Amino acid sequence: MTEKVYLDTNRRHDFVLLFDVKDGNPNGDPDAGNLPRVDPETMQGLVTDVCLKRKIRDWVDLTRGNEERMKIYVEHHGILNLQHERAYKAIGKKPSGSKQDRATVSEARAWMCENFFDVRTFGAVMTTEVNCGQVLGPVQLTFARSIDPIVPLDLSITRVAVTRPEDAEVQVSEDGKEGKGKVTEMGRKAVVPYGLYLGYGFFSPFFAQDTGMNSEDLEVLWEALEHMWELDRSASRGLMACRGLYVFSHEKPVGNAPAQDLFERVKVKRVSTTPPRTFADYHVTVEEENLPAGVTLTRLVG
């Protein structure tokens, strides 16, 4: 394919993301002791859109963060009002809270879109006391859901060192008997033995015109979706990898076919008779024949 239609910001794009995890926790639930998120009725695993956006932000920050236009608004341990103040300083204005005039807010909003990749891509609500307005981003993601039910494991782990000096001291009871001090500490680790997750995303050219998202930003987004777990390795996440990235591009900005009809062309079927533990336990098929008129499919991964 000579024309990279998946980079055209005048087109609507609907995309499918397929990724897996082995012996890791792709998205812990703080309401459940950091166990992997699940749908309690089906026990399918869930990964939130917020989690996926965090991975994308981190990848962009690590690979392109030295470029002024590729800064990240929602940084780790960041302070949002300080980011807003950068905009006001750049446009030569002072924030005045709720009394801020609309023209100044609009100017600050435009500066935020121009300089922060995640603002012009995902949007942001920046109506704090340092008001930079609101942005509806052209890229939206759904929760990702595992193909099959997962088995969240809550495992005990030990550490051969204690935390405080007094933990290791010999303890004396009221009757004068000596007891041993602690020599280890106990902990917990939550993992999924294996899970293959499927999520969906959407790109709107109308909102891209508003935020200034261009073809370079789209290319960075596709690269991040493919490679983001390569720079996010940790023992708690185990082995994670992108297994499929399929982009349906429409000729018309409003689209040439319903997104759900296109998504149903990507089918994932379990082929193993035992509980799945590898990607080879599944078979992925993509119906590329007889696409709706005006729709192009690009298989970036898979």
Side-chain angles (χ1 to χ4, degrees):
M1 183 186 300
T2 56
E3 183 186 4
K4 295 182 178 180
V5 296
Y6 59 92
L7 299 180
D8 189 346
T9 56
N10 294 313
R11 297 172 179 257
R12 194 184 98 188
H13 304 286
D14 303 315
F15 57 95
V16 179
L17 175 66
L18 192 65
F19 62 93
D20 64 356
V21 58
K22 183 178 178 66
D23 296 329
N25 185 356
N27 188 197
D29 185 351
D31 290 328
N34 205 46
L35 284 169
R37 294 182 187 272
V38 295
D39 178 335
E41 292 187 324
T42 66
M43 290 306 293
Q44 289 172 287
L46 298 174
V47 174
T48 67
D49 61 315
V50 175
C51 177
L52 295 173
K53 289 176 183 178
R54 180 73 269 155
K55 309 303 181 198
I56 295 169
R57 286 183 170 104
D58 290 346
W59 190 90
V60 174
D61 192 33
L62 285 168
T63 60
R64 305 287 293 272
N66 61 329
E67 302 172 30
E68 193 60 35
R69 195 170 177 273
M70 292 290 178
K71 299 302 182 185
I72 295 300
Y73 170 61
V74 185
E75 296 178 307
H76 281 289
H77 311 298
I79 300 175
L80 299 184
N81 272 349
L82 294 183
Q83 305 282 49
H84 299 180
E85 288 174 1
R86 291 177 59 186
Y88 276 86
K89 182 177 180 180
I91 65 176
K93 303 289 180 63
K94 289 186 177 181
S96 57
S98 60
K99 298 180 181 180
Q100 194 68 64
D101 64 278
R102 183 175 299 180
T104 299
V105 171
S106 179
E107 192 176 354
R109 177 186 182 275
W111 189 93
M112 296 292 290
C113 287
E114 172 62 26
N115 288 273
F116 291 103
F117 172 86
D118 51 341
V119 173
R120 65 177 177 274
T121 302
F122 303 130
V125 177
M126 301 176 290
T127 51
T128 65
E129 58 268 23
V130 184
N131 189 358
C132 286
Q134 298 185 35
V135 177
L136 184 57
V139 176
Q140 301 298 325
L141 301 173
T142 69
F143 279 29
R145 178 179 290 266
S146 68
I147 303 300
D148 286 307
I150 62 170
V151 182
L153 301 180
D154 189 20
L155 308 175
S156 297
I157 56 176
T158 58
R159 186 179 69 198
V160 295
V162 296
T163 304
R164 301 170 300 176
E166 53 267 32
D167 293 335
E169 293 178 357
V170 174
Q171 306 294 319
V172 180
S173 63
E174 293 181 358
D175 58 5
K177 294 182 179 180
E178 293 186 352
K180 295 181 179 179
K182 293 172 64 176
V183 293
T184 62
E185 293 276 5
M186 299 293 293
R188 312 292 300 179
K189 177 168 283 193
V191 299
V192 175
Y194 183 80
L196 180 62
Y197 291 77
L198 187 65
Y200 305 103
F202 313 89
F203 171 83
S204 166
F206 301 105
F207 297 139
Q209 291 175 8
D210 178 55
T211 69
M213 187 176 181
N214 60 25
S215 59
E216 180 187 9
D217 297 323
L218 255 183
E219 187 168 25
V220 170
L221 174 69
W222 304 137
E223 290 175 355
L225 288 168
E226 179 180 355
H227 300 295
M228 57 191 179
W229 285 289
E230 298 296 331
L231 299 179
D232 190 52
R233 301 294 185 192
S234 78
S236 65
R237 277 182 286 282
L239 290 174
M240 295 191 69
C242 178
R243 297 296 187 173
L245 180 56
Y246 312 96
V247 184
F248 295 93
S249 303
H250 304 249
E251 280 186 353
K252 297 179 182 178
V254 295
N256 294 79
Q260 66 271 17
D261 292 348
L262 301 176
F263 292 156
E264 289 173 357
R265 289 175 169 267
V266 180
K267 302 180 185 298
V268 184
K269 183 179 180 181
R270 185 172 139 195
V271 295
S272 67
T273 57
T274 58
R277 289 297 181 267
T278 70
F279 184 57
D281 292 329
Y282 290 92
H283 181 60
V284 181
T285 57
V286 183
E287 296 180 6
E288 301 184 61
E289 303 294 329
N290 301 315
L291 284 168
V295 176
T296 303
L297 170 61
T298 305
R299 299 172 65 138
L300 293 176
V301 179

